[in-house]
């Protein structure tokens, strides 16, 4: 199954709508959100199109397709208005015979979580797309940020399909591919 991975919406209805348009274009089976959905956080400026109530409406409309983990800006109050679970610190899944460990990323460091050979750590938090070896045998993949990209990166997401990790802009332009 094709999986789309995105992170760090931070309350931007503008970029959330673009992300959901990309999800429809990708025809992915699921959209995995790596946290920081509604609030921009004290370290970030308000993103363009900041409208958390509209983000709630947009995401709740896709609730059956969403998997989500908790970001450092997500709270129990957010869970009260969202109709899908968002408070898990991590999600374990399998994709193409590989274990996926999905978390926001604010509590990870080399060796934490412990990855087995071939495992993939999916995390956001930094707002910077990344693909790197993690520990001895794992990979860390970061989709970047939907609404507040940093260090010159673009508004982006990640697709996992048929042995590939593919990073794309919200407009669907591929800017990096990695064979898995």
């Amino acid at each position: 199954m094709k999986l789309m991975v995105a992170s760090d919406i931070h309350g931007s209805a503008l970029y959330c709508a673009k992300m959901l348009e990309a999800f429809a274009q990708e025809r992915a089976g699921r959209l995995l959100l790596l946290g920081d959905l509604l609030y921009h956080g004290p370290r970030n400026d308000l993103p363009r199109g900041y409208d958390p109530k509209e983000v709630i409406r947009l995401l709740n409309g896709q609730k059956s397709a969403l998997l989500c983990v908790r970001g450092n800006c997500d709270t129990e109050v957010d869970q009260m208005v969202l109709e899908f679970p968002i408070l898990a610190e991590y999600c374990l899944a399998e994709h193409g015979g590989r274990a996926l460990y999905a978390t926001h990323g604010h509590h990870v460091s080399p060796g934490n979580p412990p990855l087995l050979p071939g495992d993939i750590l999916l995390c956001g938090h930094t707002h910077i797309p990344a693909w790197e070896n993690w520990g001895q045998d794992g990979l860390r993949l970061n989709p970047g940020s939907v609404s507040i990209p940093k260090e010159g990166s673009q508004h982006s997401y990640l697709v996992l399909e048929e042995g590939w990790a593919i990073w794309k802009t919200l407009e669907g332009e591929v800017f990096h591919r990695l064979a898995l």
Side-chain angles (χ1 to χ4, degrees), residues 15-51:
Y15 292 112
C16 182
K18 289 183 179 202
M19 175 195 70
L20 293 175
E21 288 171 16
F23 179 59
Q25 289 289 331
E26 292 290 347
R27 294 187 175 96
R30 292 283 187 155
L31 173 56
L32 172 59
L33 299 174
L34 300 177
D36 286 358
L37 304 180
L38 301 179
Y39 179 54
H40 67 287
R43 296 179 301 163
N44 297 310
D45 293 331
L46 286 176
R48 273 185 62 208
Y50 186 71
D51 186 351

Short mmCIF file of all heavy atoms in Angstrom, two decimals, residues 15-51:
data_model
loop_
_atom_site.label_atom_id
_atom_site.label_comp_id
_atom_site.label_asym_id
_atom_site.label_seq_id
_atom_site.Cartn_x
_atom_site.Cartn_y
_atom_site.Cartn_z
N TYR A 15 -2.23 25.43 3.94
CA TYR A 15 -1.33 24.33 3.60
C TYR A 15 -1.92 22.96 3.93
O TYR A 15 -1.59 21.97 3.26
CB TYR A 15 0.03 24.53 4.26
CG TYR A 15 0.76 25.71 3.66
CD1 TYR A 15 0.99 26.86 4.39
CD2 TYR A 15 1.18 25.67 2.34
CE1 TYR A 15 1.63 27.95 3.83
CE2 TYR A 15 1.81 26.76 1.77
CZ TYR A 15 2.04 27.90 2.52
OH TYR A 15 2.67 28.98 1.94
N CYS A 16 -2.83 22.90 4.89
CA CYS A 16 -3.53 21.65 5.16
C CYS A 16 -4.37 21.27 3.94
O CYS A 16 -4.37 20.11 3.51
CB CYS A 16 -4.40 21.78 6.40
SG CYS A 16 -5.27 20.26 6.85
N ALA A 17 -5.07 22.23 3.36
CA ALA A 17 -5.88 21.96 2.16
C ALA A 17 -4.98 21.49 1.01
O ALA A 17 -5.33 20.55 0.29
CB ALA A 17 -6.67 23.20 1.77
N LYS A 18 -3.83 22.14 0.84
CA LYS A 18 -2.90 21.71 -0.21
C LYS A 18 -2.38 20.30 0.04
O LYS A 18 -2.22 19.51 -0.88
CB LYS A 18 -1.74 22.69 -0.33
CG LYS A 18 -2.13 24.02 -0.93
CD LYS A 18 -0.95 24.94 -1.10
CE LYS A 18 -1.39 26.25 -1.72
NZ LYS A 18 -0.29 26.96 -2.36
N MET A 19 -2.12 19.99 1.30
CA MET A 19 -1.66 18.64 1.66
C MET A 19 -2.74 17.61 1.33
O MET A 19 -2.44 16.55 0.76
CB MET A 19 -1.32 18.58 3.15
CG MET A 19 -0.95 17.19 3.64
SD MET A 19 -0.97 17.07 5.45
CE MET A 19 -2.74 17.19 5.79
N LEU A 20 -3.99 17.92 1.64
CA LEU A 20 -5.07 16.98 1.36
C LEU A 20 -5.32 16.85 -0.15
O LEU A 20 -5.67 15.76 -0.63
CB LEU A 20 -6.34 17.37 2.11
CG LEU A 20 -6.24 17.23 3.63
CD1 LEU A 20 -7.50 17.76 4.30
CD2 LEU A 20 -5.95 15.79 4.04
N GLU A 21 -5.10 17.92 -0.90
CA GLU A 21 -5.17 17.82 -2.36
C GLU A 21 -4.07 16.89 -2.87
O GLU A 21 -4.31 16.06 -3.76
CB GLU A 21 -5.02 19.21 -3.00
CG GLU A 21 -6.21 20.12 -2.82
CD GLU A 21 -5.91 21.55 -3.27
OE1 GLU A 21 -4.91 21.79 -3.99
OE2 GLU A 21 -6.70 22.44 -2.89
N ALA A 22 -2.87 17.03 -2.32
CA ALA A 22 -1.76 16.14 -2.71
C ALA A 22 -2.09 14.70 -2.35
O ALA A 22 -1.81 13.78 -3.13
CB ALA A 22 -0.47 16.59 -2.04
N PHE A 23 -2.70 14.48 -1.19
CA PHE A 23 -3.09 13.14 -0.76
C PHE A 23 -4.06 12.52 -1.77
O PHE A 23 -3.93 11.36 -2.17
CB PHE A 23 -3.69 13.19 0.64
CG PHE A 23 -4.15 11.88 1.18
CD1 PHE A 23 -3.28 10.81 1.33
CD2 PHE A 23 -5.48 11.70 1.56
CE1 PHE A 23 -3.71 9.58 1.83
CE2 PHE A 23 -5.92 10.49 2.07
CZ PHE A 23 -5.03 9.43 2.20
N ALA A 24 -5.03 13.30 -2.22
CA ALA A 24 -5.98 12.81 -3.22
C ALA A 24 -5.27 12.50 -4.54
O ALA A 24 -5.53 11.47 -5.16
CB ALA A 24 -7.10 13.83 -3.44
N GLN A 25 -4.35 13.38 -4.95
CA GLN A 25 -3.59 13.15 -6.19
C GLN A 25 -2.71 11.91 -6.10
O GLN A 25 -2.56 11.19 -7.07
CB GLN A 25 -2.71 14.37 -6.50
CG GLN A 25 -3.47 15.59 -6.94
CD GLN A 25 -4.06 15.43 -8.33
OE1 GLN A 25 -3.54 14.73 -9.18
NE2 GLN A 25 -5.19 16.09 -8.54
N GLU A 26 -2.13 11.67 -4.94
CA GLU A 26 -1.24 10.52 -4.75
C GLU A 26 -2.00 9.20 -4.76
O GLU A 26 -1.41 8.16 -5.04
CB GLU A 26 -0.46 10.64 -3.43
CG GLU A 26 0.56 11.75 -3.40
CD GLU A 26 1.76 11.51 -4.29
OE1 GLU A 26 1.97 10.37 -4.78
OE2 GLU A 26 2.50 12.47 -4.50
N ARG A 27 -3.28 9.25 -4.41
CA ARG A 27 -4.08 8.02 -4.27
C ARG A 27 -3.42 7.03 -3.30
O ARG A 27 -3.40 5.83 -3.54
CB ARG A 27 -4.32 7.38 -5.63
CG ARG A 27 -5.19 8.21 -6.54
CD ARG A 27 -5.53 7.45 -7.81
NE ARG A 27 -6.46 8.18 -8.62
CZ ARG A 27 -6.10 8.96 -9.64
NH1 ARG A 27 -4.83 9.11 -9.96
NH2 ARG A 27 -7.01 9.59 -10.34
N ALA A 28 -2.88 7.58 -2.22
CA ALA A 28 -2.27 6.75 -1.18
C ALA A 28 -3.37 6.10 -0.35
O ALA A 28 -4.46 6.66 -0.20
CB ALA A 28 -1.35 7.60 -0.31
N GLY A 29 -3.05 4.95 0.23
CA GLY A 29 -4.02 4.25 1.06
C GLY A 29 -4.24 4.92 2.41
O GLY A 29 -5.35 4.89 2.96
N ARG A 30 -3.19 5.52 2.95
CA ARG A 30 -3.26 6.20 4.25
C ARG A 30 -2.39 7.45 4.23
O ARG A 30 -1.42 7.54 3.48
CB ARG A 30 -2.74 5.29 5.37
CG ARG A 30 -3.57 4.10 5.69
CD ARG A 30 -4.78 4.47 6.50
NE ARG A 30 -5.47 3.27 6.93
CZ ARG A 30 -6.22 3.20 7.99
NH1 ARG A 30 -6.38 4.24 8.75
NH2 ARG A 30 -6.84 2.09 8.28
N LEU A 31 -2.75 8.37 5.12
CA LEU A 31 -1.95 9.57 5.37
C LEU A 31 -1.50 9.50 6.82
O LEU A 31 -2.33 9.51 7.74
CB LEU A 31 -2.77 10.83 5.11
CG LEU A 31 -2.14 12.17 5.47
CD1 LEU A 31 -0.80 12.37 4.77
CD2 LEU A 31 -3.10 13.31 5.13
N LEU A 32 -0.20 9.40 7.03
CA LEU A 32 0.39 9.35 8.36
C LEU A 32 0.87 10.75 8.72
O LEU A 32 1.74 11.30 8.04
CB LEU A 32 1.55 8.36 8.39
CG LEU A 32 2.41 8.31 9.64
CD1 LEU A 32 1.59 7.98 10.88
CD2 LEU A 32 3.53 7.28 9.45
N LEU A 33 0.30 11.32 9.77
CA LEU A 33 0.66 12.66 10.23
C LEU A 33 1.57 12.54 11.44
O LEU A 33 1.23 11.87 12.41
CB LEU A 33 -0.59 13.47 10.59
CG LEU A 33 -1.58 13.69 9.44
CD1 LEU A 33 -2.85 14.37 9.94
CD2 LEU A 33 -0.92 14.51 8.33
N LEU A 34 2.71 13.23 11.37
CA LEU A 34 3.72 13.11 12.43
C LEU A 34 3.64 14.24 13.45
O LEU A 34 4.63 14.63 14.03
CB LEU A 34 5.11 13.06 11.79
CG LEU A 34 5.35 11.88 10.84
CD1 LEU A 34 6.73 11.97 10.21
CD2 LEU A 34 5.16 10.55 11.55
N GLY A 35 2.45 14.75 13.68
CA GLY A 35 2.22 15.68 14.78
C GLY A 35 2.31 17.15 14.44
O GLY A 35 2.60 17.55 13.32
N ASP A 36 2.03 17.96 15.47
CA ASP A 36 1.94 19.42 15.39
C ASP A 36 0.89 19.85 14.37
O ASP A 36 1.18 20.47 13.35
CB ASP A 36 3.31 20.05 15.11
CG ASP A 36 4.22 20.02 16.33
OD1 ASP A 36 3.79 19.54 17.40
OD2 ASP A 36 5.36 20.49 16.21
N LEU A 37 -0.35 19.52 14.70
CA LEU A 37 -1.45 19.74 13.77
C LEU A 37 -2.09 21.12 13.85
O LEU A 37 -2.27 21.77 12.82
CB LEU A 37 -2.54 18.69 14.01
CG LEU A 37 -2.13 17.23 13.94
CD1 LEU A 37 -3.32 16.33 14.21
CD2 LEU A 37 -1.47 16.91 12.63
N LEU A 38 -2.45 21.58 15.05
CA LEU A 38 -3.30 22.77 15.17
C LEU A 38 -2.59 24.03 15.67
O LEU A 38 -2.97 25.13 15.28
CB LEU A 38 -4.48 22.47 16.11
CG LEU A 38 -5.38 21.32 15.70
CD1 LEU A 38 -6.48 21.13 16.74
CD2 LEU A 38 -5.95 21.54 14.32
N TYR A 39 -1.62 23.90 16.53
CA TYR A 39 -1.02 25.07 17.17
C TYR A 39 0.34 25.36 16.55
O TYR A 39 1.09 24.45 16.24
CB TYR A 39 -0.89 24.80 18.68
CG TYR A 39 -0.27 25.92 19.48
CD1 TYR A 39 -0.78 27.22 19.41
CD2 TYR A 39 0.82 25.68 20.29
CE1 TYR A 39 -0.21 28.24 20.16
CE2 TYR A 39 1.39 26.70 21.04
CZ TYR A 39 0.88 27.98 20.97
OH TYR A 39 1.45 28.98 21.69
N HIS A 40 0.66 26.64 16.41
CA HIS A 40 1.93 27.02 15.77
C HIS A 40 3.12 26.93 16.70
O HIS A 40 4.26 26.84 16.24
CB HIS A 40 1.84 28.43 15.18
CG HIS A 40 1.70 29.52 16.19
ND1 HIS A 40 0.54 29.72 16.90
CD2 HIS A 40 2.56 30.43 16.63
CE1 HIS A 40 0.70 30.74 17.73
NE2 HIS A 40 1.93 31.19 17.59
N GLY A 41 2.89 26.91 18.00
CA GLY A 41 3.98 26.79 18.96
C GLY A 41 4.65 28.12 19.24
O GLY A 41 4.63 29.04 18.43
N PRO A 42 5.27 28.27 20.40
CA PRO A 42 5.86 29.55 20.80
C PRO A 42 7.11 29.93 20.03
O PRO A 42 7.49 31.10 20.03
CB PRO A 42 6.16 29.34 22.28
CG PRO A 42 6.33 27.87 22.44
CD PRO A 42 5.40 27.25 21.45
N ARG A 43 7.75 28.98 19.36
CA ARG A 43 8.99 29.29 18.63
C ARG A 43 8.76 29.62 17.17
O ARG A 43 9.68 30.04 16.48
CB ARG A 43 9.97 28.12 18.73
CG ARG A 43 10.42 27.85 20.15
CD ARG A 43 11.35 26.68 20.23
NE ARG A 43 10.68 25.48 19.71
CZ ARG A 43 11.29 24.38 19.33
NH1 ARG A 43 12.59 24.30 19.39
NH2 ARG A 43 10.61 23.35 18.90
N ASN A 44 7.53 29.41 16.68
CA ASN A 44 7.23 29.64 15.27
C ASN A 44 6.35 30.85 15.08
O ASN A 44 5.48 31.14 15.90
CB ASN A 44 6.50 28.42 14.69
CG ASN A 44 7.33 27.17 14.73
OD1 ASN A 44 8.47 27.16 14.31
ND2 ASN A 44 6.76 26.09 15.25
N ASP A 45 6.56 31.54 13.96
CA ASP A 45 5.63 32.59 13.57
C ASP A 45 4.34 31.93 13.11
O ASP A 45 4.32 30.75 12.75
CB ASP A 45 6.21 33.42 12.42
CG ASP A 45 7.42 34.24 12.85
OD1 ASP A 45 7.49 34.62 14.04
OD2 ASP A 45 8.29 34.50 12.00
N LEU A 46 3.25 32.69 13.08
CA LEU A 46 2.01 32.16 12.54
C LEU A 46 2.22 31.82 11.07
O LEU A 46 2.72 32.64 10.31
CB LEU A 46 0.88 33.18 12.65
CG LEU A 46 0.29 33.44 14.03
CD1 LEU A 46 -0.73 34.56 13.95
CD2 LEU A 46 -0.34 32.19 14.58
N PRO A 47 1.82 30.62 10.66
CA PRO A 47 1.95 30.29 9.24
C PRO A 47 0.87 30.99 8.41
O PRO A 47 -0.16 31.40 8.95
CB PRO A 47 1.76 28.77 9.22
CG PRO A 47 0.93 28.47 10.41
CD PRO A 47 1.30 29.50 11.45
N ARG A 48 1.12 31.12 7.12
CA ARG A 48 0.11 31.66 6.22
C ARG A 48 -1.16 30.82 6.33
O ARG A 48 -1.10 29.61 6.43
CB ARG A 48 0.61 31.61 4.77
CG ARG A 48 1.41 32.80 4.37
CD ARG A 48 1.79 32.78 2.91
NE ARG A 48 0.62 32.80 2.03
CZ ARG A 48 0.61 32.28 0.81
NH1 ARG A 48 1.67 31.68 0.32
NH2 ARG A 48 -0.48 32.35 0.08
N GLY A 49 -2.29 31.49 6.33
CA GLY A 49 -3.57 30.78 6.38
C GLY A 49 -3.88 30.17 7.72
O GLY A 49 -4.64 29.20 7.80
N TYR A 50 -3.32 30.74 8.79
CA TYR A 50 -3.53 30.18 10.13
C TYR A 50 -5.01 30.21 10.48
O TYR A 50 -5.63 31.28 10.58
CB TYR A 50 -2.72 30.96 11.16
CG TYR A 50 -2.77 30.37 12.57
CD1 TYR A 50 -2.11 29.18 12.84
CD2 TYR A 50 -3.45 31.01 13.59
CE1 TYR A 50 -2.12 28.64 14.12
CE2 TYR A 50 -3.47 30.47 14.87
CZ TYR A 50 -2.81 29.29 15.13
OH TYR A 50 -2.83 28.75 16.39
N ASP A 51 -5.61 29.03 10.63
CA ASP A 51 -7.02 28.90 10.96
C ASP A 51 -7.24 27.49 11.52
O ASP A 51 -7.69 26.58 10.82
CB ASP A 51 -7.87 29.12 9.71
CG ASP A 51 -9.37 29.13 10.00
OD1 ASP A 51 -9.79 28.80 11.13
OD2 ASP A 51 -10.14 29.46 9.07
#
